[in-house]
Amino acid sequence: MKLYLLEPYDVLSFGGLKNFSAGESHIQKSSFPPPIMRFFPYFRKVYSILLVKGNEAYLPAPADCLVPRKGEEGDPIIAPLKFPPVLEEEKPYEPAKGFVSVRDFVERYANGKGKFALKELSEFLNTEMRVGVKLSVSSRTSEESMLYSQDFLRFKEDTFLGILASEADRLKSLNKMGGEGKLAKLKGKKDLAEFFKKKLTLKKGNIYKLYLLSHAFVEGGIEKGKVIKIEGKEFKVLWLHSAGSEFISGFRKPFVEMLRPASVLILEAAEDGGIPRVCQIDSSPSVIDRKKSFLERGWNSGIIMEVKG
């Protein structure tokens, strides 16, 4: 598993997963991070999409991170292990938005410490809106009521698209990416910190967190008390800090509702054993023809860590 760095030559467009038709919905928003399926043509297995600025990689802020509401001062904190997670402080908090460095994720968040820095998406890229119009196939003239606008993402200087993936497959020095096939240059690849490579030793009854790196699906949904399997090991769900959900569909595939990356599951281990730090929830949609391929491509990936602090 490597972190591949790609430098866009121009803007990129990663449309949302909502169906878009000119004349019906007039604005198409670009979302970040985009779903991993956007990069299946280049890698055998994709775990996550990151942002890289300089030598530092960034992950979306975990959904159990809270920040003071607008107008209040203070550092990010981690939601307490109460179900529901009610704060004892009088100061009002809200879910954090933005990105946390992998260094802070490993050294602070994974150790139950707050007071880490969060960066807004605008520190990595700018959004540009461009207007277009649908053309008639026969006459090549614009059609009435078919004006639309679309968001494009322009990466700032010294900022790269990071793809956490296994072996590259058909990845070249120059690659067409995004909705309009804009060029992106492969700048290199780097190893992840030892934190991600080491196995975690589970102890029955201990509490763990699973931070979702990719979109994830669990048959029957997530609810308190449900037992799920991760890499063959059983866990009981204590709580879900959701970053939201959305419907995902591939080419000529049915829609499947999945949790968004950065969602955090609070789990109790139901057995002892070892588990990879970067792991996958053992669940696949019944509507998928080849269930094994669902996990082989990288869906349901996450980082598991023991709850500390």
Side-chain angles (χ1 to χ4, degrees), residues 79-90:
L81 285 177
K82 299 177 181 179
F83 312 117
V86 179
L87 292 174
E88 294 179 358
E89 302 181 47
E90 293 183 1

Side-chain angles (χ1 to χ4, degrees), residues 161-205:
L161 182 66
I163 315 296
L164 187 61
S166 62
E167 292 182 57
D169 187 17
R170 299 187 296 277
L171 185 68
K172 303 176 182 178
S173 57
L174 285 177
N175 305 273
K176 291 183 177 180
M177 291 193 170
E180 294 195 356
K182 301 290 187 179
L183 289 176
K185 180 181 180 181
L186 177 63
K187 292 291 290 185
K189 56 186 177 181
K190 57 184 352 181
D191 287 321
L192 291 177
E194 287 299 316
F195 171 85
F196 297 96
K197 300 177 183 178
K198 292 181 180 178
K199 271 196 169 185
L200 183 66
T201 301
L202 300 175
K203 186 174 181 181
K204 183 178 179 179

Side-chain angles (χ1 to χ4, degrees), residues 10 17 30 32 38-40 42 83 120 154 159 163-164 169 173 176 192 195 213 242 248 251 259 287:
D10 197 359
L17 297 166
S30 282
F32 199 96
R38 304 288 190 239
F39 304 94
F40 285 171
Y42 313 104
F83 312 117
E120 295 182 3
R154 185 176 296 278
T159 303
I163 315 296
L164 187 61
D169 187 17
S173 57
K176 291 183 177 180
L192 291 177
F195 171 85
L213 287 166
S242 176
I248 291 183
F251 180 67
L259 283 171
V287 293

Side-chain angles (χ1 to χ4, degrees), residues 107-208:
E107 296 177 0
R108 303 202 64 80
Y109 174 76
N111 288 306
K113 301 175 183 177
K115 297 187 178 180
F116 43 78
L118 291 175
K119 289 185 177 291
E120 295 182 3
L121 183 61
S122 60
E123 296 186 51
F124 301 95
L125 49 86
N126 291 320
T127 301
E128 299 179 7
M129 184 173 287
R130 299 185 179 181
V131 177
V133 64
K134 183 180 178 183
L135 298 178
S136 169
V137 176
S138 57
S139 65
R140 304 304 296 170
T141 58
S142 60
E143 294 189 13
E144 187 177 353
S145 299
M146 288 298 176
L147 188 69
Y148 65 92
S149 58
Q150 184 174 359
D151 276 351
F152 287 83
L153 306 177
R154 185 176 296 278
F155 283 66
K156 293 188 174 182
E157 185 178 358
D158 202 28
T159 303
F160 309 97
L161 182 66
I163 315 296
L164 187 61
S166 62
E167 292 182 57
D169 187 17
R170 299 187 296 277
L171 185 68
K172 303 176 182 178
S173 57
L174 285 177
N175 305 273
K176 291 183 177 180
M177 291 193 170
E180 294 195 356
K182 301 290 187 179
L183 289 176
K185 180 181 180 181
L186 177 63
K187 292 291 290 185
K189 56 186 177 181
K190 57 184 352 181
D191 287 321
L192 291 177
E194 287 299 316
F195 171 85
F196 297 96
K197 300 177 183 178
K198 292 181 180 178
K199 271 196 169 185
L200 183 66
T201 301
L202 300 175
K203 186 174 181 181
K204 183 178 179 179
N206 281 9
I207 300 176
Y208 300 85

Side-chain angles (χ1 to χ4, degrees), residues 230-292:
I230 303 174
E231 301 289 342
K233 303 297 182 183
E234 288 192 347
F235 294 84
K236 182 172 73 173
V237 176
L238 300 180
W239 197 258
L240 167 65
H241 296 276
S242 176
S245 64
E246 57 189 335
F247 287 93
I248 291 183
S249 174
F251 180 67
R252 292 182 178 177
K253 299 291 184 182
F255 282 96
V256 176
E257 187 173 13
M258 301 176 72
L259 283 171
R260 286 181 53 81
S263 295
V264 176
L265 280 73
I266 310 297
L267 307 165
E268 180 183 321
E271 56 184 296
D272 297 334
I275 191 170
R277 178 75 72 178
V278 178
C279 53
Q280 289 178 284
I281 300 173
D282 300 333
S283 186
S284 300
S286 57
V287 293
I288 301 296
D289 295 332
R290 294 179 59 226
K291 292 185 180 181
K292 189 177 179 182

